[in-house]
Amino acid sequence: MRTDSSPGTLPAREHLPATDAGTPVLDVVIPVYNEEKDLQPCVLRLHEHLRRTFPYAFRITIADNASTDTTPQVAARLEAEIAEVSHFRLEQKGRGRALRTVWTASDAPILAYMDVDLSTDLNALLPLVAPLISGHSDLAIGSRLARSSRVVRGPKREFISRSYNLILRGSLQARFSDAQCGFKAIRRDVAQALLPMVEDTGWFFDTEMLVIAERAGLRIHEVPVDWVDDPDSTVHIVRTATEDLKGVWRVGRALATGSLPLDRVARPFGDDPRDREIQDVPKGLARQLVGFCVVGGLSTLFYLLLYSGFRTFSGSQVANALALLVSAVANTAANRRLTFGVRGRGGAVKHQAQGLVVFGIGLALTSGSLAALNAATTEPAHSTELAVLIAANLAATVLRFLLFRAWVFPDRGESTVVARHTPSSPAHGTQAPYPPLPQRPTADQHVAPHPDRFASQAPYPASTPAPYAYDTTQFRAGEAADRAWGDPTLHLQPVRPTDADPRDSR
């Protein structure tokens, strides 16, 4: 279900097709600030690992957050020496700002990032991106808090990390286990729709992105990691924690008020390939019926409690009208959000007005039933009144669902039948799919570097592809979510099971 302002949902997940030509499959971003000492060992070690273990073309992008030491010179030297390394400099600090900028302009279908200290063992990199390549998941995160993870760090950081994730679970109902591990990946089509909704430009960027993705129903894959704490980390714990708590409050308020257009990043019905084999199935009917029944059961209980309360100081007709009015407003709001998936404030007043019309029909049914009961019995028992009201409400419920589905929350702008999927047809609307994606070049092939890849930082229109230009324009929530992205897919091929990095002393 969409709001009237929704540009559409994400296309169904697919495997990414791979050939021998095209853009890199994976773009790994390393955000840095004054890391002149650790940058070169990190890039060399990561490059060697990818060269030996990743079966397709890749890129390593160094995102310099306004460093004041010799980090830019080190990055430029690495870019000149290694064809798969690119360097981009931002004049403002902020890890979230760096990731947003680089990911927005990247042409790779799989986008990842990791911290420059490489605290996370690189053996988890291929398991991290494989579910995204295969089409199984939308985002992937490394988790230091999974049961099978092996983590070496002090009690202070352990306490802070677990406390922060408990706060997320209690306040934002987050189900992912580790929000701040610097080891994440995302599909490019998902990033296109998701990043404009993320406002934070610092350390809370990860959490905000994950919370929005989870609330929109995207699939987040968690990979247990081996992680060794960096004792020389420059993260300011107190300041970061304060900013994170402010972000939790801001995101929680946005979710509570419905101001986030989550339907922009929702997956469509029929995302499961098995669903595409079934013809003439109304979109989301089964899900809507379940949601409507759950909401209806709770609102009926709420209505009966209100009726019993109002009945203590008023007649049956007045108590019925008041209880039905209050419960009808709550029922419309709950069905709007949970059953038909309408997000945001747009059209809320209209929907409530239409809901009141439906309420009027229900009032006529229940009031008529009470009038008939009073005509048949002078002083009916309270239990009898409740039984008659339940029967009348059941009849009104069926009519309410039909009116909600056909009139109050119709599925505007798209067919109500899932068409049979064919591989030759685009996965989403009329947009063209990505061209086939490349395998990693063999040893006798040479890949020329692109020295002008980051030369231009000017914004470019959505209709003009600019794979070598970065748009550093600041995005706010809801902006640029209407750009069309493809949904490339790639079939994994076997790789060597061993992965011992000679540069890794651990």
Side-chain angles (χ1 to χ4, degrees), residues 192-441:
Q192 164 66 15
L194 188 60
L195 293 184
M197 299 171 63
V198 181
E199 294 188 13
D200 191 81
T201 59
W203 292 95
F204 187 70
F205 175 88
D206 303 52
T207 303
E208 186 171 359
M209 178 180 68
L210 290 174
V211 169
I212 295 175
E214 187 177 69
R215 287 299 186 94
L218 301 183
R219 181 174 294 154
I220 301 175
H221 179 74
E222 294 197 19
V223 178
V225 297
D226 298 341
W227 194 85
V228 179
D229 188 19
D230 178 15
D232 300 323
S233 175
T234 58
V235 178
H236 299 281
I237 296 178
V238 176
R239 184 172 63 190
T240 301
T242 302
E243 294 300 318
D244 285 348
L245 292 176
K246 291 180 180 178
V248 169
W249 168 257
R250 174 175 54 80
V251 173
R253 183 177 57 184
L255 291 172
T257 58
S259 59
L260 285 173
L262 297 179
D263 55 331
R264 293 188 176 186
V265 290
R267 287 292 182 186
F269 179 76
D271 184 42
D272 189 323
R274 293 170 296 182
D275 296 337
R276 300 178 214 143
E277 300 299 324
I278 304 174
Q279 293 182 332
D280 303 326
V281 177
K283 284 189 165 184
L285 177 59
R287 179 187 59 78
Q288 290 177 356
L289 281 172
V290 172
F292 185 81
C293 289
V294 172
V295 172
L298 294 176
S299 61
T300 299
L301 179 60
F302 182 50
Y303 160 78
L304 294 175
L305 292 175
L306 288 175
Y307 177 81
S308 298
F310 292 142
R311 190 67 174 87
T312 59
F313 59 85
S314 64
S316 61
Q317 293 288 4
V318 174
N320 174 63
L322 291 176
L324 198 58
L325 176 61
V326 175
S327 61
V329 172
N331 181 278
T332 300
N335 277 308
R336 181 178 187 269
R337 181 72 175 270
L338 302 177
T339 303
F340 298 96
V342 179
R343 313 287 182 179
R345 300 178 181 178
V349 175
K350 176 185 176 183
H351 293 154
Q352 283 292 351
Q354 291 173 311
L356 289 178
V357 174
V358 178
F359 149 76
I361 298 175
L363 178 62
L365 287 174
T366 54
S367 297
S369 300
L370 283 175
L373 177 63
N374 290 327
T377 306
T378 306
E379 294 183 359
H382 182 64
S383 59
T384 305
E385 287 184 349
L386 291 180
V388 170
L389 289 174
I390 290 174
N393 269 287
L394 287 176
T397 296
V398 176
L399 182 59
R400 185 184 304 121
F401 176 76
L402 296 175
L403 289 174
F404 273 176
R405 182 174 170 82
W407 179 47
V408 183
F409 306 110
D411 201 1
R412 297 186 180 91
E414 60 186 24
S415 173
T416 58
V417 176
V418 178
R420 178 179 294 275
H421 175 77
T422 58
S424 60
S425 62
H428 185 218
T430 58
Q431 69 182 38
Y434 271 126
L437 299 177
Q439 294 180 328
R440 184 162 52 83

Side-chain angles (χ1 to χ4, degrees), residues 2-324:
R2 307 177 183 176
T3 60
D4 293 341
S5 60
S6 171
T9 56
L10 289 171
R13 289 182 293 259
E14 298 282 354
H15 289 268
L16 300 173
T19 61
D20 296 324
T23 59
V25 174
L26 174 66
D27 192 350
V28 182
V29 181
I30 304 176
V32 293
Y33 172 72
N34 289 348
E35 298 288 354
E36 58 183 1
K37 177 182 176 182
D38 296 333
L39 179 57
Q40 180 168 327
C42 164
V43 172
L44 292 177
R45 180 178 159 202
L46 176 60
H47 179 265
E48 172 65 15
H49 177 90
L50 288 170
R51 187 185 64 80
R52 290 186 300 104
T53 65
F54 193 70
Y56 302 105
F58 63 87
R59 178 191 302 129
I60 301 172
T61 301
I62 304 169
D64 179 14
N65 287 132
S67 295
T68 57
D69 60 1
T70 61
T71 296
Q73 289 76 22
V74 175
R77 184 170 66 251
L78 290 168
E79 182 180 27
E81 294 175 355
I82 305 175
E84 293 86 1
V85 175
S86 298
H87 168 227
F88 177 68
R89 177 176 172 83
L90 292 87
E91 297 303 328
Q92 293 177 295
K93 293 176 62 176
R95 182 180 68 172
R97 178 179 288 109
L99 293 176
R100 184 204 310 276
T101 303
V102 177
W103 281 356
T104 299
S106 179
D107 51 355
I110 305 298
L111 311 170
Y113 95 89
M114 60 182 61
D115 293 334
V116 70
D117 56 15
L118 293 187
S119 294
T120 304
D121 186 76
L122 292 178
N123 285 312
L125 182 55
L126 187 56
L128 183 80
V129 301
L132 310 185
I133 293 173
S134 69
H136 174 271
S137 301
D138 300 298
L139 299 92
I141 64 174
S143 175
R144 299 162 296 183
L145 302 180
R147 290 186 176 182
S148 56
S149 297
R150 294 182 293 179
V151 177
V152 178
R153 60 178 168 183
K156 180 180 179 181
R157 285 183 174 270
E158 181 77 9
F159 174 78
I160 292 175
S161 179
R162 291 189 178 275
S163 299
Y164 179 65
N165 283 281
L166 284 175
I167 291 173
L168 293 181
R169 288 174 177 270
S171 59
L172 300 178
Q173 288 79 51
R175 295 190 298 272
F176 48 85
S177 64
D178 193 350
Q180 290 288 21
C181 181
F183 197 70
K184 295 182 175 68
I186 186 173
R187 287 173 63 101
R188 180 175 177 257
D189 59 327
V190 176
Q192 164 66 15
L194 188 60
L195 293 184
M197 299 171 63
V198 181
E199 294 188 13
D200 191 81
T201 59
W203 292 95
F204 187 70
F205 175 88
D206 303 52
T207 303
E208 186 171 359
M209 178 180 68
L210 290 174
V211 169
I212 295 175
E214 187 177 69
R215 287 299 186 94
L218 301 183
R219 181 174 294 154
I220 301 175
H221 179 74
E222 294 197 19
V223 178
V225 297
D226 298 341
W227 194 85
V228 179
D229 188 19
D230 178 15
D232 300 323
S233 175
T234 58
V235 178
H236 299 281
I237 296 178
V238 176
R239 184 172 63 190
T240 301
T242 302
E243 294 300 318
D244 285 348
L245 292 176
K246 291 180 180 178
V248 169
W249 168 257
R250 174 175 54 80
V251 173
R253 183 177 57 184
L255 291 172
T257 58
S259 59
L260 285 173
L262 297 179
D263 55 331
R264 293 188 176 186
V265 290
R267 287 292 182 186
F269 179 76
D271 184 42
D272 189 323
R274 293 170 296 182
D275 296 337
R276 300 178 214 143
E277 300 299 324
I278 304 174
Q279 293 182 332
D280 303 326
V281 177
K283 284 189 165 184
L285 177 59
R287 179 187 59 78
Q288 290 177 356
L289 281 172
V290 172
F292 185 81
C293 289
V294 172
V295 172
L298 294 176
S299 61
T300 299
L301 179 60
F302 182 50
Y303 160 78
L304 294 175
L305 292 175
L306 288 175
Y307 177 81
S308 298
F310 292 142
R311 190 67 174 87
T312 59
F313 59 85
S314 64
S316 61
Q317 293 288 4
V318 174
N320 174 63
L322 291 176
L324 198 58

